[in-house]
Amino acid sequence: MTRLNFTVEAKCNGTRARAAHFTALHGKVKTPVFMPVGTRATVKGQTIESLKATGAQVLLANTYHLLLRPGPEVFRKFGGIHRFMNWDGPVLTDSGGFQIFSLHRDREMNEEGARFQSYIDGKTFMLTPELSIDTQKAIGSDIMMVLDQCIPSTAGYEEAKTAMELTHRWAVRSLAARGDSPQSLFGIVQGACHHDLRLQSAAFLRQLPFDGLAIGGLAVGETSAERYEFTGLVTEQLPDNLPRYLMGVGTPIDILEAVHRGVDMFDCIIPSQLGHRGTVFTSHGKIQLRRSVYKFADEPLDSQCDCYTCKNYSRAYLYHLMKSDEPLGWHLLTTHNLAFYHRLMAEMRAAIFDGSFSAYYEKMRVELVRDDEANPGTPPRRNVPKVARLGDYEVHQHSAGFSSIKQVSSGEIMHSVNRPSDEANRLYIEQSHLADRLLKIEGDADELVIWDVGLGAASNAMAAVACFEKTLAEQGNDNLRRLRLISFECDLDPLKLACRVNKNFPHLHHGAPFKLLETGKWEHDSGLCIWELVKGDFLEYFMSTPAPKLIFFDPFSAKTDSALWTRETFARIFAHCRSADSELYTYSTSTAVRVALLSAGFYVAPGAASGPKESTTVAFTQLHGASRHPAAFSLLGSEWLARWHRSGSKFPDGLNDAEKQNFAALIENHPQFSLKSAAI
Ligand SMILES: [Zn+2]
């Protein structure tokens, strides 16, 4: 009888996979089991509660690190690691051999042990099998490991043979040092990638009274095919009645392959190490969360995962945390990865019990190596033209030879059909007769205020600036009113991007947009034109700016930015601008937008055609606004009203029947329609 009372509960026909349990000093463990690595008596970024919630049964701690700090005397004072770190489940400690042989180039080793200097205080240690066991006893782990000489798995035969033989002698000394301690002790099979050495090592160790046997010296340089081959070779030689532990392995696919070959226990730093880098394992493949495709992703990491992270956070938030190097990101991603590993172990165990492991193995060996399925990585750069990009925006090259800015998340392109400067001139500058309005006539010398709603890449604003400069050159300083142009924008990335590649955007060949980005304001040398930036949500800030004569209303479409196109929004604008006798110009021709403007009190007329669009929309706060222009606008009339009556979507969303009736009455009784008979 071994100290662990290891009991095989089920075996898989056709593979060597098995489900078992054993009882350690601090509780029962069900296998196959994955042991999170708590190097310095902590699994990085995890609390005991989060570890338990993800399904951890056993933790691994590193004797080498704990020997150097805090030192065995601290564990002796606390009565062991369990009370020290507040973990009441089983703990396995390694022997320290791996770290000494892989980290210390200047160690000296002989038959007795390995001499090395502490990286913390320079103190010299002679790590012998006896000191290793003594330290592990002080730590109070449930399962101790023998000190072994670790060499690369690619080592030559003689080197591997010498190291294996020393490891065997140290194994015997370790057992003697363990004595009658109730702590379990595992031997470690060595022999690098040499068949006969591995067989010799397994045969030697199985004769000794160990409580379990480990496979060491893999996952340190060999190919995965070699790893699988030697894992299978060794497990065949190991007794059925002892747990088998594959040290330091590995990725989910490595673990699946090893369980298939009869391994019971695993440890690896991959879940937390990859979590730290932003990589997570999911049921849809491996995801790299630092990729900007997740910036707006509202879904959980893995819809099929019930871990704390997946239940509470979006990919977008996790992306943000990773981009900001926030420790919480590391914690949340590691939490998910650990849950993924523990779930994989539990699924394998369940499949072994119900006889479906072979099928599960075939399915998972494909699934576990998938990359991000929903968002495959970008193809090699050399094959794709470089796209200028900033934040959520990129430069869109139009086939007609001009550039626009595209919002990546919505796919919406600013000025998708017409050259941006042409559209700005036609819709906003010419229709509003801006050049005439800049002149000091009409007995009106007040400043002319324009709202530029949706600065974007500044096409409309710069068209206004260009119009001002042209008019100034033609008419002279004395004849012009002051122009005050107020641009509203919550995201300056489109303008920053366009300025960065401004050879594609001729309207930006001017100092004004650069100055605006830099200081939020630009003023013409004449003092007659001032351009201001209001950064933030238009709906929040427009009330604190003076009511304009002209509104260039050019935000993203209702589909992308619905709040700007509601009747509530237009009603607020109307209330603020009514007395200013304002005109609003916009590219939209949608019935919903026109009816929203009408219900808010505006007088509405079709505007100039633009590109393939037969018309656009102009709205006035005063009836006489429409007739002010040389070519008077003709307001929407009975024909349009009849069309609206027939429209399937003539009411704003969310109205009940009574409200619909009121709304219909509001539109039908709009003075624009009742006055229609009188010539305007
Ligand atoms: Zn999860």
Side-chain angles (χ1 to χ4, degrees):
M1 180 66 76
T2 70
R3 283 168 169 78
L4 291 175
N5 193 21
F6 179 80
T7 307
V8 175
E9 296 170 86
K11 288 182 174 182
C12 166
N13 274 334
T15 77
R16 292 218 298 285
R18 56 194 201 159
H21 68 257
F22 62 81
T23 307
L25 294 171
H26 290 83
K28 188 171 163 179
V29 175
K30 295 172 178 174
T31 71
V33 64
F34 177 79
M35 303 180 286
V37 179
T39 305
R40 297 184 171 88
T42 166
V43 177
K44 290 187 190 303
Q46 296 293 309
T47 62
I48 295 304
E49 289 70 27
S50 64
L51 288 167
K52 286 188 173 171
T54 57
Q57 302 183 65
V58 189
L59 299 186
L60 184 140
N62 287 116
T63 298
Y64 165 81
H65 291 289
L66 298 178
L67 169 67
L68 300 186
R69 189 164 57 197
E73 62 279 9
V74 172
F75 290 104
R76 287 194 187 100
K77 151 123 176 109
F78 273 79
I81 193 172
H82 293 87
R83 194 177 142 242
F84 184 56
M85 72 178 286
N86 190 33
W87 168 259
D88 58 7
V91 170
L92 181 149
T93 40
D94 66 5
S95 64
F98 178 77
Q99 283 78 19
I100 287 160
F101 291 105
S102 62
L103 300 181
H104 287 270
R105 287 171 183 278
D106 54 352
R107 68 179 181 262
E108 286 170 38
M109 67 156 299
N110 54 34
E111 184 67 27
E112 193 195 350
R115 190 185 305 277
F116 67 97
Q117 271 198 326
S118 164
Y119 66 91
I120 293 169
D121 56 11
K123 201 172 138 196
T124 300
F125 283 85
M126 180 68 187
L127 186 67
T128 61
E130 290 77 17
L131 177 62
S132 175
I133 294 295
D134 223 40
T135 308
Q136 296 183 69
K137 281 183 178 175
I139 293 170
S141 55
D142 298 69
I143 300 173
M144 305 186 287
M145 301 300 297
V146 298
L147 185 66
D148 58 341
Q149 188 191 352
C150 298
I151 52 171
S153 57
T154 50
Y157 189 85
E158 284 309 318
E159 185 192 357
K161 185 165 189 284
T162 306
M164 178 196 77
E165 287 168 352
L166 180 67
T167 297
H168 291 172
R169 291 192 294 276
W170 284 0
V172 174
R173 283 167 58 186
S174 299
L175 272 170
R178 192 258 304 257
D180 59 1
S181 163
Q183 290 166 268
S184 296
L185 181 63
F186 281 22
I188 303 175
V189 175
Q190 290 288 356
C193 287
H194 302 284
H195 285 83
D196 67 317
L197 295 181
R198 287 284 179 181
L199 297 181
Q200 278 179 42
S201 188
F204 178 83
L205 293 169
R206 63 182 293 169
Q207 306 303 317
L208 298 174
F210 284 115
D211 307 295
L213 290 170
I215 305 170
L218 288 181
V220 279
E222 77 285 356
T223 65
S224 52
E226 287 171 326
R227 183 152 62 250
Y228 302 156
E229 180 194 345
F230 281 91
T231 300
L233 179 80
V234 174
T235 54
E236 259 185 347
Q237 305 302 315
L238 298 180
D240 254 5
N241 65 342
L242 291 183
R244 304 162 183 163
Y245 165 31
L246 180 54
M247 301 178 78
V249 171
T251 60
I253 184 67
D254 283 345
I255 289 176
L256 179 78
E257 293 289 355
V259 167
H260 182 273
R261 289 164 175 78
V263 176
D264 308 301
M265 301 166 69
F266 303 87
D267 78 283
C268 194
I269 57 169
I270 282 180
S272 56
Q273 195 178 56
L274 289 193
H276 197 190
R277 293 188 199 147
T279 303
V280 291
F281 298 98
T282 77
S283 57
H284 335 283
K286 204 161 81 179
I287 284 177
Q288 172 43 257
L289 218 46
R290 287 175 176 272
R291 294 180 56 201
S292 56
V293 285
Y294 301 116
K295 184 172 180 182
F296 297 93
D298 205 0
E299 69 264 35
L301 275 184
D302 187 347
S303 54
Q304 293 177 35
C305 179
D306 63 353
C307 82
Y308 174 76
T309 305
C310 291
K311 274 193 296 200
N312 293 292
Y313 298 100
S314 66
R315 290 180 177 187
Y317 181 62
L318 298 168
Y319 164 88
H320 163 71
L321 292 179
M322 293 316 291
K323 293 298 275 187
S324 316
D325 288 325
E326 285 290 339
L328 179 62
W330 187 6
H331 167 77
L332 292 174
L333 296 194
T334 302
T335 299
H336 168 82
N337 277 346
L338 288 171
F340 182 90
Y341 268 67
H342 293 313
R343 187 166 53 243
L344 174 67
M345 308 315 287
E347 284 177 2
M348 288 193 286
R349 181 175 159 85
I352 294 165
F353 273 109
D354 69 18
S356 64
F357 180 79
S358 293
Y360 181 82
Y361 166 78
E362 292 301 335
K363 181 177 89 141
M364 294 306 282
R365 62 189 303 200
V366 178
E367 290 200 1
L368 290 176
V369 295
R370 284 182 311 190
D371 269 333
D372 190 348
E373 280 192 332
N375 296 286
T378 42
R381 277 268 172 214
R382 58 195 152 81
N383 294 334
V384 277
K386 213 169 165 205
V387 175
R389 194 160 174 172
L390 179 65
D392 190 25
Y393 301 90
E394 65 184 30
V395 173
H396 176 77
Q397 297 293 344
H398 197 279
S399 56
F402 61 87
S403 302
S404 310
I405 298 288
K406 175 180 172 180
Q407 188 182 40
V408 178
S409 56
S410 67
E412 192 161 330
I413 299 168
M414 302 174 177
H415 309 281
S416 57
V417 184
N418 304 303
R419 193 177 290 275
S421 51
D422 290 353
E423 185 160 294
N425 278 320
R426 197 171 312 130
L427 250 65
Y428 303 106
I429 307 302
E430 291 165 15
Q431 278 205 105
S432 67
H433 294 271
L434 179 61
D436 296 340
R437 307 285 281 271
L438 287 169
L439 299 176
K440 271 187 200 163
I441 42 174
E442 309 171 32
D444 183 359
D446 290 352
E447 67 178 6
L448 178 73
V449 177
I450 301 179
W451 280 0
D452 171 41
V453 183
L455 170 67
S459 307
N460 304 333
M462 282 309 296
V465 168
C467 175
F468 164 81
E469 290 181 331
K470 183 164 180 277
T471 311
L472 181 73
E474 290 167 2
Q475 306 288 338
N477 289 18
D478 293 344
N479 296 315
L480 259 63
R481 306 160 70 178
R482 193 171 130 99
L483 170 63
R484 185 169 175 195
L485 176 61
I486 305 172
S487 289
F488 297 87
E489 185 57 82
C490 50
D491 189 347
L492 294 176
D493 281 351
L495 181 56
K496 287 178 184 166
L497 175 61
C499 282
R500 195 186 285 174
V501 289
N502 76 339
K503 69 175 181 351
N504 303 41
F505 297 92
H507 70 278
L508 297 176
H509 295 175
H510 195 289
F514 294 87
K515 184 81 178 166
L516 186 84
L517 279 177
E518 203 183 312
T519 65
K521 202 172 184 174
W522 171 81
E523 192 166 355
H524 190 267
D525 288 343
S526 65
L528 287 173
C529 175
I530 183 162
W531 183 17
E532 296 162 61
L533 173 66
V534 178
K535 188 173 182 313
D537 189 343
F538 170 74
L539 296 177
E540 200 176 319
Y541 293 106
F542 79 82
M543 296 289 284
S544 53
T545 66
K549 281 279 183 223
L550 304 175
I551 304 172
F552 300 164
F553 199 75
D554 193 16
F556 277 118
S557 70
K559 209 174 125 206
T560 306
D561 197 354
S562 57
L564 283 181
W565 300 92
T566 63
R567 62 191 181 117
E568 289 77 15
T569 292
F570 290 130
R572 287 182 58 205
I573 296 174
F574 185 85
H576 187 64
C577 300
R578 184 176 201 168
S579 57
D581 191 4
S582 308
E583 302 165 19
L584 180 150
Y585 295 83
T586 185
Y587 61 87
S588 175
T589 55
S590 95
T591 303
V593 167
R594 288 177 169 180
V595 83
L597 284 162
L598 285 165
S599 70
F602 283 96
Y603 294 85
V604 179
S610 174
K613 275 189 179 175
E614 283 181 19
S615 77
T616 50
T617 296
V618 187
F620 306 90
T621 57
Q622 309 277 341
L623 178 58
H624 65 88
S627 52
R628 169 161 52 219
H629 293 275
F633 287 97
S634 137
L635 296 176
L636 298 174
S638 51
E639 238 176 79
W640 181 87
L641 195 61
R643 265 213 315 281
W644 174 70
H645 272 298
R646 293 194 299 271
S647 161
S649 56
K650 62 182 178 181
F651 297 114
D653 287 341
L655 297 191
N656 62 31
D657 284 349
E659 288 164 339
K660 281 180 182 171
Q661 247 177 14
N662 289 339
F663 189 84
L666 188 69
I667 299 301
E668 283 155 10
N669 297 327
H670 192 291
Q672 166 164 353
F673 301 114
S674 51
L675 287 170
K676 191 62 195 171
S677 50
I680 297 165

